[in-house]
Amino acid sequence: MTHWVAIGDSFTYLNDHLDETGYRVSRGYLSRIADRIPSLQLDNIGINGSTFADWVHQEIPAADLYTVLLGTNDWHQGYPIGSDQDFQERKAGTILGHLGILLDHIRQANPSAMIVVGNPVERADFVYLLDPENNAQGSYAPEHGQKLSDAAAAILKCCEEEGLNTVDLHTFSGFTQDKLVKFKRVRQGETYVDLPYPDYIGKPFCPGKDEYPYPVEAIALTYDGLHPSDRGCQILADIFADKMEDLGEVINRIDAEFNNLFV
């Protein structure tokens, strides 16, 4: 068995806490990867709401394989993306600097481990199913002067330049604004209307007064504007699993060639 440690935010955490999705999700993306690759022994250490900064002082257990999926909360909270130099110098205070620090901690746990880093996907207007007071604007607009797409591209670029395995979820997942939810239910006077993207942009949502804006029939790639639905989880799982299977084939081929030297 290959010991796999999954590092991430709510996308990862919710895999083992489906009750916090209101059971709108039946199986998270990690479990779907494990279904496809049964030789993996999953250890999910995801932290709900976490940023790269939150992982700077977290203990990382030893494992054979690590997956990392973070960045959306960093962008929302306004951490500066930083530069290639911030990444190389592991400069605290930036997304890329914190990413570099986390990678160093993973390597300290197991210098020979495989690491697969994903980047964040686009998000619609988010309203937490269990607490509508927890809500945030979608990534169709910059946050603190930064685009989520720029953060996603920077994470991918730095990891690739360091020779790490990456999965470009932002580009290849299909999580585009028009596919995240089918509509957002918004109040207009005394009635409600179901508006698709981009028609709902700028329409106010009042927690405690308005209906929850994403009924079940609004679910598309996300179930709440941010977190992946069953369909979204399957897409993320397939992209990660494709990469992990490719890595497994390479390792098996190297092992076979090494063993042949002694035949």
Side-chain angles (χ1 to χ4, degrees):
M1 297 291 285
T2 299
H3 182 197
W4 163 33
V5 166
I7 295 169
D9 50 34
S10 55
F11 277 46
T12 300
Y13 165 87
L14 288 172
N15 187 87
D16 298 343
H17 300 84
L18 297 180
D19 57 315
E20 296 183 37
T21 75
Y23 294 104
R24 288 187 169 199
V25 176
S26 64
R27 201 154 182 78
Y29 84 95
L30 300 179
S31 295
R32 293 169 187 267
I33 294 171
D35 289 343
R36 180 166 154 182
I37 311 176
S39 60
L40 296 176
Q41 180 183 345
L42 172 61
D43 183 3
N44 179 6
I45 62 170
I47 301 173
N48 199 17
S50 63
T51 64
F52 279 111
D54 294 315
W55 289 89
V56 167
H57 300 293
Q58 288 294 322
E59 183 176 351
I60 306 297
D64 306 304
L65 167 68
Y66 297 86
T67 54
V68 179
L69 180 53
L70 291 160
T72 191
N73 295 318
D74 307 69
W75 168 80
H76 173 60
Q77 293 182 26
Y79 280 96
I81 296 171
S83 64
D84 289 359
Q85 185 174 352
D86 293 331
F87 176 74
Q88 292 160 5
E89 296 178 356
R90 292 0 190 191
K91 182 179 178 181
T94 67
I95 294 175
L96 296 178
H98 293 150
L99 166 62
I101 294 169
L102 171 58
L103 294 173
D104 286 349
H105 290 171
I106 292 173
R107 292 188 176 109
Q108 288 167 10
N110 182 359
S112 62
M114 293 181 291
I115 306 172
V116 181
V117 180
N119 56 358
V121 298
E122 292 295 305
R123 43 193 285 173
D125 289 348
F126 163 61
V127 183
Y128 183 33
L129 183 64
L130 304 183
D131 179 14
E133 294 284 349
N134 182 358
N135 59 81
Q137 178 180 269
S139 56
Y140 50 78
E143 191 79 64
H144 303 278
Q146 300 182 123
K147 295 180 180 179
L148 180 58
S149 58
D150 289 340
I155 290 168
L156 199 75
K157 177 176 179 288
C158 283
C159 289
E160 288 177 342
E161 289 179 351
E162 191 151 312
L164 293 172
N165 302 292
T166 61
V167 285
D168 188 356
L169 303 176
H170 188 273
T171 299
F172 296 111
S173 67
F175 276 57
T176 55
Q177 290 294 333
D178 58 330
K179 299 291 193 302
L180 298 175
V181 291
K182 294 178 181 176
F183 60 82
K184 183 178 181 182
R185 183 161 292 171
V186 300
R187 181 194 293 272
Q188 287 192 350
E190 298 302 315
T191 62
Y192 288 88
V193 293
D194 296 340
L195 299 179
Y197 174 82
D199 297 346
Y200 64 69
I201 293 178
K203 306 296 183 183
F205 168 73
C206 297
K209 294 182 180 180
D210 293 349
E211 291 181 14
Y212 185 73
Y214 300 123
V216 171
E217 55 268 30
I219 294 174
L221 293 183
T222 77
Y223 67 86
D224 60 3
L226 170 60
H227 299 105
S229 62
D230 275 331
R231 183 174 155 215
C233 284
Q234 190 62 57
I235 291 171
L236 299 183
D238 285 342
I239 295 174
F240 265 110
D242 285 347
K243 172 64 72 171
M244 293 155 80
E245 286 179 339
D246 287 346
L247 291 174
E249 290 175 4
V250 170
I251 290 170
N252 290 337
R253 185 168 65 249
I254 292 172
D255 287 345
E257 291 173 355
F258 178 81
N259 292 331
N260 287 337
L261 294 175
F262 300 93
V263 173

